[in-house]
Amino acid sequence: MRNRLTILLLAVLLVPILAACGGSNAGGTATTTTGAGQAAANATVAAQPTAPATEPPAATEAQATAGETATSGMAGDTATAAATPMAVETVTAAEVATASGTVVSANPSGKKLKIGMVTDIAKLGDKGFNDSAWAGVQQGTQAVGGESKAIETTDPNDYEKNINQFVAEKYDVIVTVGFNLGEQTIAAAKANPSIKFIGVDQAQAPGQEVPNVTGLVFEEDKAGFLAGALAALYSKSGKLGAVLGTDAVPAVWRYGEGYRAGAKYIKKDVDVQTVYHSDVGFDKTFSDPEWGKATALSMLDKGVDVVFGAGGRTGNGALFAAADRKDKGVVAIGVDVDQYDTVPEAKGVLLSSAMKIIDQGVTELIKQAADGSIKGGNRTGKVGLAPFHDLDSKVPAEVKSKLDEIRKQLDDGSLKTNVSPTKPG
């Protein structure tokens, strides 16, 4: 009798345990998504109802396209990889749901847009122009519920090929980054009128606008002017430097000459030394930090105490040089984005950055492409100075007030930089 009771008791205890094991076998699939799609996958899972324990949940679209998905279960382990050739990063944005479950989207058509970006030769990781444009693409992708991919260009001869890869893959919006891609962007747009093209830093001449190309352009001379005025107001030695990419690119020219004009506006006798990278063929003009650092160090060793770096990784070299001379009291001014966030080595010496608000401009144009309001021609983005961050306490209140006054005058047109659009001659 005692043995029978013992057996019955064991049976009662084992039944729920065995049932639980059976449930795990039936629906216990654990999915881990790695790479750029993780945040999107998490957002999708959070917005979906919980599946019954006996039925495996369907993989979300974000999980299926995230680049690498590993699935494990009781029956065995499987791993799948979906790497995209030449793609640096792929992002599939989940729809953004509010707490009430309402879907928020800038894409009323409901079509999932495919958005591609082709970098210039400085590539992603330049901590400036390309990175800022890619951030704008990602933000725009999330806003419209699309998917995006970037192709890095390593050789100028590949601009056309990289753009046409997105054309062949039937992308809806193609973003090309930099003045050097202008001709290839226009050619691809004329051959593919149904695709929307966004050319960052690609101005179209009046009367020659292409209907499906929007050039996101900036008044670099104004950003440079503000940086030069700041440098002249801050400098103790009266000697300023600028290390720049090639002056054959109008945007770089406007930065450099705007910097000179702003400094001279504050102090006519200030000594402004500007050096442009002159590499033939553009192979290293934006990707030569060693040259940028060596050039800046030469300036700093001759008494320059504020140096401006503009031109991708080449300009970043000037920031590294200032960091090496931190004990001498020198400071640097960055470019394109707030480089306090992107070049940590220079945080302690970074006075400010002459900014193009690239990411916001790209994001807004992607939204317009989605809702159908985008127009061909040029669209002028915003420029300005980044915060002073660690050096804020060393910038006097009267300097901040003067810079604010200059900015307002530049905005309303009462103050002109007098910088030509391109290098004369």
Side-chain angles (χ1 to χ4, degrees):
M1 183 68 177
R2 180 176 298 174
N3 289 339
R4 290 179 62 190
L5 287 173
T6 300
I7 292 170
L8 286 171
L9 181 59
L10 287 172
V12 170
L13 291 172
L14 287 172
V15 165
I17 295 173
L18 291 171
C21 291
S24 177
N25 287 336
T29 302
T31 304
T32 302
T33 304
T34 63
Q38 182 65 66
N42 290 343
T44 305
V45 171
Q48 293 176 337
T50 303
T54 57
E55 181 179 335
T60 66
E61 186 170 19
Q63 292 166 340
T65 61
E68 179 178 84
T69 304
T71 307
S72 62
M74 294 297 290
D77 295 337
T78 62
T80 62
T84 306
M86 298 183 68
V88 180
E89 184 174 6
T90 301
V91 177
T92 301
E95 292 180 325
V96 181
T98 65
S100 63
T102 303
V103 174
V104 180
S105 176
N107 181 11
S109 71
K111 177 186 176 182
K112 177 164 286 188
L113 292 185
K114 296 174 68 177
I115 305 154
M117 189 186 95
V118 179
T119 76
D120 204 343
I121 55 174
K123 301 183 292 185
L124 292 180
D126 65 349
K127 300 180 179 179
F129 207 75
N130 288 298
D131 282 355
S132 186
W134 179 232
V137 169
Q138 291 175 296
Q139 292 159 14
T141 298
Q142 183 174 9
V144 304
E147 62 180 77
S148 57
K149 181 170 71 177
I151 295 176
E152 285 183 303
T153 302
T154 57
D155 186 325
N157 294 320
D158 291 337
Y159 291 145
E160 181 180 1
K161 180 185 72 174
N162 292 344
I163 294 171
N164 285 334
Q165 180 174 324
F166 284 129
V167 171
E169 294 176 5
K170 301 188 184 303
Y171 271 64
D172 304 289
V173 181
I174 299 175
V175 181
T176 61
V177 185
F179 168 82
N180 293 329
L181 283 79
E183 288 185 19
Q184 293 84 355
T185 301
I186 292 295
K190 288 181 176 179
N192 301 278
S194 64
I195 299 175
K196 301 299 183 184
F197 289 81
I198 299 170
V200 181
D201 244 17
Q202 297 169 27
Q204 298 181 68
Q208 298 181 29
E209 296 90 346
V210 179
N212 59 323
V213 178
T214 305
L216 179 60
V217 298
F218 300 88
E219 296 172 306
E220 295 89 358
D221 55 318
K222 291 184 178 180
F225 192 98
L226 284 166
L230 170 61
L233 288 164
Y234 188 90
S235 175
K236 303 291 191 299
S237 70
K239 295 182 178 181
L240 312 178
V243 176
L244 307 145
T246 175
D247 54 6
V249 172
V252 178
W253 166 259
R254 289 193 293 269
Y255 264 136
E257 298 312 302
Y259 179 77
R260 184 194 303 278
K264 294 289 186 180
Y265 174 77
I266 297 299
K267 296 178 182 177
K268 290 185 179 180
D269 60 347
V270 69
D271 179 8
V272 184
Q273 304 170 33
T274 57
V275 180
Y276 292 89
H277 199 298
S278 58
D279 180 63
V280 177
F282 298 96
D283 289 346
K284 297 188 70 175
T285 51
F286 296 104
S287 56
D288 197 350
E290 294 80 11
W291 177 90
K293 182 176 180 178
T295 303
L297 285 173
S298 177
M299 293 178 175
L300 298 176
D301 290 342
K302 294 176 183 176
V304 165
D305 61 352
V306 183
V307 63
F308 177 40
R313 289 187 173 93
T314 300
N316 289 349
L319 276 58
F320 301 144
D324 278 5
R325 294 290 188 271
K326 182 177 181 179
D327 60 329
K328 303 295 184 183
V330 303
V331 297
I333 298 176
V335 78
D336 288 339
V337 298
D338 185 350
Q339 293 202 285
Y340 185 88
D341 298 323
T342 60
V343 186
E345 301 92 331
K347 280 187 174 183
V349 297
L350 195 66
L351 182 59
S352 183
S353 298
M355 293 176 61
K356 297 178 182 180
I357 318 300
I358 298 170
D359 56 345
Q360 291 181 18
V362 171
T363 296
E364 185 58 33
L365 290 177
I366 288 174
K367 290 179 181 179
Q368 291 178 14
D371 66 24
S373 64
I374 195 169
K375 299 182 183 302
N378 298 325
R379 163 75 177 271
T380 302
K382 299 177 182 178
V383 299
L385 283 179
F388 306 121
H389 296 294
D390 295 355
L391 299 177
D392 186 80
S393 63
K394 294 186 177 182
V395 181
E398 56 267 27
V399 170
K400 296 175 182 177
S401 178
K402 182 65 175 177
L403 290 170
D404 191 50
E405 174 189 321
I406 292 172
R407 180 187 58 78
K408 290 177 181 177
Q409 291 175 337
L410 288 171
D411 286 346
D412 66 24
S414 60
L415 176 60
K416 305 292 185 183
T417 67
N418 296 318
V419 174
S420 61
T422 59
K423 183 180 180 181

